[in-house]
Amino acid sequence: MKTILCSLTLMAAALTASAQTDPIVMRINGKAVPRSEFEYNYNKNNTDGVIDKKSVEEYADLFINYKLKVEAALDAKLDTLTSYQQEYRTYRDQQLRPLLVTPAAEEQEVRNYYDQMLAQLEGKQLLELAHIFVHLPQQSDATAQAAAKARIDSIYAVLQGGKDFAEVAAEASDDRGTAARGGVIGWIGPHQLLKEIEDKAYTMTTGEVAEPTLSTVGWHILKLMDQRPLEPYDTLAPRIRQFLESRGMRERLATQAADSISKSTGKSVEQVMDEQAERVAAEDEELRYLFQEYHDGLLLFEICQRQVWEPAAKDTVALERYFKKNKKAYAFKKPHFSGALLQAVSPAVLARATKALKGKNEDLWASVIKQQFNADSVQVRFERRVFEQGENAMVDSLAFGIKQGKTRPSKKYPAAAVLGRKLKKGPRLWTDVGPQVVTDYQALKEQEFVEQLRRRYKFEVYKQVLNTVNKH
C-alpha cells in the first residue's frame, strides 16, 4: 500500500510542477484533476469508433461520477486489500516489464543464439536432405530383415532406372510425413538426425542419391538436395529475433533484469517494480495516466460490486417490487414461451421426464433431469429459458402451433415436448425476464449511489479551463 501511495504522490508532484502548462480542470473531494488527465480519459473514451460519443461537458459529468466512486472506495480502504494490491500490480507490471529490457540485451540474446547455431555446426555445412524410408522394427527376425532389405533394394533399383526420387518417395516411403513432400526432411546440421544417417549424409555430394543405409529404425535411401554454410548474422538476425520473441524472450529478459536489480540493491522484486513504476510515472505522462486508470478502475469495480451490483442482484424482494412497478417496460412485441424444451431418446423417456417435472419448482427442473435421466448418459436434452416466438422452430411448433416448414427432431432425440407457459403480452413473473430486470435495477441503484456520493463529497469544475480541453 505504501509504495502505491508513493507512486500516486509522485504523480501528484509531477502534476503540480506542470501546473502552469497543465491547469486544473476540476477538484474532486479536494483533489486536483489536471487538464491532461481529463483529456487522456476523454480522448480514450471518445474515439471515432465509439457509438455514443460525448461532448466535453457531457463527459465531465460522467468523469465526476467516476472519481466520486473512487473516493468512496478509498474511504472504505479497499486499496489496502491484498487482492486489490495484487491485481493492480499485475496490470501495472504488464506495462512495466518490457521497459526493463534494453535493446542491447535483446541484441545480445539474438547474437548468443546465432553463435550457438554456429558452434553446433562444428565447421560443417547445412544440408538439405531427403530420404525414402523402409521401417524395420528392432529385434526383427531374419525373415523380416530379409524382406525389408529386398524391398529397399527394389526401390533403389527403380531409382537407378531413372524414376523421379520425389515420386518414388511419395509412393513407397514409410515416413508418410516426408513422403507428402517428396521425401524432403529439410535443412539439418550435426546431431539432428540418427548418427548413421548423418555420417552418410556428410560424405555425399549435392544431387547424389546414396545406396541404402541401415539405421536403428530401418533402411534409408538418402538424397542430398543442397548444402550451404550458415547465413551471416545480419541476414538471420530478424528471423532469430522473431523466433525468440515467439518463445517469450522479452518476458524472460524482463525477469532476469528485475532479478538482477533486486540482487544488486538488496530489495525484493516487488520493491524494484514499485520503484520502476514511480520513475516511469514521473517521466511518461501516458503511462502515468494508464497506471491511474488501472488504479481507479479496479477500485470503482470493487466499490460498485460490494455496495451496488451484488446487493441489488441478491435482493429478490426488491427485484420483484421493481418489476411490478415497471412491468409495462417489459411488454413483449411478440408472444413468448417461458419454460423448457425437452428432447428425449424415446417417447417413453419423454413421458417419464415430463411427469417428473410437473409440480416441481422450475428452478429444480435441471437438477431433476440430471439426476434421474442424465446421470450416466444423456437421455434427455433440456433447455430452460424464455423463448421468443420465431426464435426456435420446435418451440414455435409445440408451444404456439406454428408450422413453418418441416420441424425435424434429432435422430438421437426423436421425442420432443415443451413444459411451461405462454406469455402473450408480457412476462408474468420477474424471473421471466430476470437478467434484464437485474440489470435495470442495478442501474437504478447505481444512480442512487452516485446521487448519494454527490451529496457526500464536494466537487467543483472550472468551466474556463474545461472550455480549453483539446483546444490549447
Side-chain angles (χ1 to χ4, degrees):
M1 171 61 188
K2 181 179 179 181
T3 51
I4 289 179
L5 283 177
C6 286
S7 180
L8 296 177
T9 301
L10 187 59
M11 292 183 200
L15 296 174
T16 302
S18 62
Q20 298 300 318
T21 56
D22 193 10
I24 304 304
V25 72
M26 63 179 69
R27 291 185 187 276
I28 311 291
N29 194 29
K31 296 177 182 176
V33 177
R35 181 175 61 192
S36 59
E37 181 185 353
F38 181 82
E39 284 180 337
Y40 169 86
N41 285 274
Y42 174 76
N43 293 332
K44 187 170 184 177
N45 290 286
N46 282 274
T47 58
D48 292 337
V50 173
I51 297 175
D52 186 22
K53 293 185 71 171
K54 304 292 183 185
S55 68
V56 170
E57 292 75 15
E58 289 172 331
Y59 188 77
D61 205 44
L62 296 175
F63 189 76
I64 290 169
N65 296 344
Y66 171 73
K67 285 291 190 178
L68 290 175
K69 293 171 187 175
V70 174
E71 288 302 308
L74 291 171
D75 281 352
K77 301 190 183 304
L78 297 183
D79 58 332
T80 65
L81 296 174
T82 301
S83 58
Y84 163 79
Q85 295 280 329
Q86 291 175 342
E87 193 166 1
Y88 171 76
R89 283 194 172 94
T90 297
Y91 279 121
R92 182 202 65 187
D93 291 357
Q94 286 175 353
Q95 303 299 321
L96 276 178
R97 288 176 64 81
L99 301 180
L100 298 177
V101 182
T102 64
E106 286 192 20
E107 183 67 20
Q108 188 60 53
E109 192 79 0
V110 176
R111 170 65 73 174
N112 289 344
Y113 191 86
Y114 179 82
D115 290 343
Q116 289 172 13
M117 293 173 64
L118 201 59
Q120 287 172 1
L121 280 176
E122 301 172 346
K124 298 178 180 178
Q125 299 270 73
L126 286 168
L127 307 181
E128 186 180 26
L129 204 61
H131 79 153
I132 296 171
F133 175 57
V134 171
H135 183 226
L136 179 62
Q138 293 184 11
Q139 301 178 355
S140 296
D141 59 25
T143 301
Q145 293 178 31
K149 182 65 169 67
R151 183 178 164 206
I152 199 73
D153 286 343
S154 67
I155 295 173
Y156 185 66
V158 169
L159 293 172
Q160 291 294 94
K163 190 163 184 181
D164 181 70
F165 187 94
E167 290 182 14
V168 176
E171 295 171 0
S173 180
D174 287 343
D175 182 355
R176 301 316 298 167
T178 60
R181 303 190 297 271
V184 176
I185 298 170
W187 287 96
I188 61 101
H191 314 300
Q192 290 184 271
L193 296 176
L194 294 169
K195 187 177 185 303
E196 300 89 345
I197 299 176
E198 182 183 317
D199 289 347
K200 183 67 177 178
Y202 274 103
T203 66
M204 297 170 64
T205 58
T206 301
E208 178 184 350
V209 176
E211 295 180 358
T213 299
L214 180 63
S215 75
T216 56
V217 294
W219 287 96
H220 309 260
I221 299 174
L222 302 179
K223 180 177 181 180
L224 184 58
M225 310 289 291
D226 197 2
Q227 55 184 316
R228 58 173 170 77
L230 185 65
E231 294 172 88
Y233 173 75
D234 290 343
T235 302
L236 280 183
R239 279 182 279 168
I240 294 174
R241 184 183 302 277
Q242 185 178 26
F243 170 77
L244 292 178
E245 285 176 354
S246 71
R247 297 299 191 275
M249 174 180 69
R250 289 183 181 175
E251 183 64 24
R252 178 164 41 79
L253 290 177
T255 298
Q256 291 174 2
D259 290 342
S260 177
I261 297 172
S262 172
K263 187 176 181 180
S264 64
T265 60
K267 298 174 181 177
S268 68
V269 171
E270 190 174 88
Q271 289 173 319
V272 168
M273 296 305 293
D274 287 339
E275 290 181 357
Q276 290 294 323
E278 291 179 22
R279 178 184 61 79
V280 170
E283 297 173 355
D284 189 319
E285 180 182 276
E286 186 171 348
L287 277 177
R288 177 168 73 241
Y289 290 140
L290 184 61
F291 293 163
Q292 183 76 51
E293 184 181 357
Y294 289 157
H295 170 273
D296 291 356
L298 290 171
L299 289 176
L300 179 145
F301 177 85
E302 193 66 38
I303 193 72
C304 287
Q305 181 71 7
R306 287 167 175 253
Q307 297 201 20
V308 180
W309 301 331
E310 191 172 351
K314 290 182 176 180
D315 192 346
T316 55
V317 174
L319 287 166
E320 185 173 7
R321 185 167 57 245
Y322 176 83
F323 168 71
K324 289 180 178 178
K325 185 178 180 181
N326 299 277
K327 197 170 183 179
K328 289 183 179 179
Y330 302 101
F332 295 145
K333 293 181 180 179
K334 292 182 178 180
H336 284 57
F337 180 82
S338 177
L341 170 63
L342 294 87
Q343 298 176 71
V345 295
S346 69
V349 171
L350 180 65
R352 294 205 315 272
T354 304
K355 184 178 180 181
L357 296 182
K358 284 184 177 178
K360 296 281 195 312
N361 186 308
E362 290 185 19
D363 292 335
L364 301 176
W365 282 2
S367 62
V368 170
I369 293 295
K370 183 177 180 180
Q371 292 172 9
Q372 295 188 27
F373 299 93
N374 297 341
D376 299 319
S377 62
V378 180
Q379 297 185 72
V380 178
R381 290 176 60 181
F382 174 85
E383 184 180 4
R384 178 194 166 220
R385 59 187 177 88
V386 177
F387 299 86
E388 182 180 273
Q389 188 182 88
E391 179 184 358
N392 184 295
M394 194 168 291
V395 173
D396 286 349
S397 175
L398 296 170
F400 299 108
I402 298 173
K403 306 291 184 182
Q404 293 183 349
K406 293 183 178 180
T407 305
R408 296 181 179 178
S410 163
K411 288 184 178 180
K412 188 174 180 181
Y413 302 95
V418 291
L419 191 63
R421 58 191 177 280
K422 286 185 284 187
L423 307 170
K424 294 184 178 180
K425 296 183 179 180
R428 186 168 64 88
L429 305 173
W430 79 268
T431 51
D432 291 335
V433 283
Q436 187 59 50
V437 173
V438 170
T439 298
D440 293 345
Y441 184 61
Q442 286 175 327
L444 173 65
K445 300 308 290 183
E446 187 169 352
Q447 181 182 340
E448 293 174 355
F449 181 54
V450 168
E451 291 170 357
Q452 174 193 339
L453 296 180
R454 281 177 169 259
R455 293 191 296 269
R456 178 179 170 185
Y457 296 108
K458 183 180 178 181
F459 59 91
E460 50 189 334
V461 178
Y462 305 116
K463 290 290 183 71
Q464 190 172 2
V465 178
L466 187 68
N467 290 336
T468 68
V469 168
N470 289 336
K471 297 177 182 177
H472 55 92

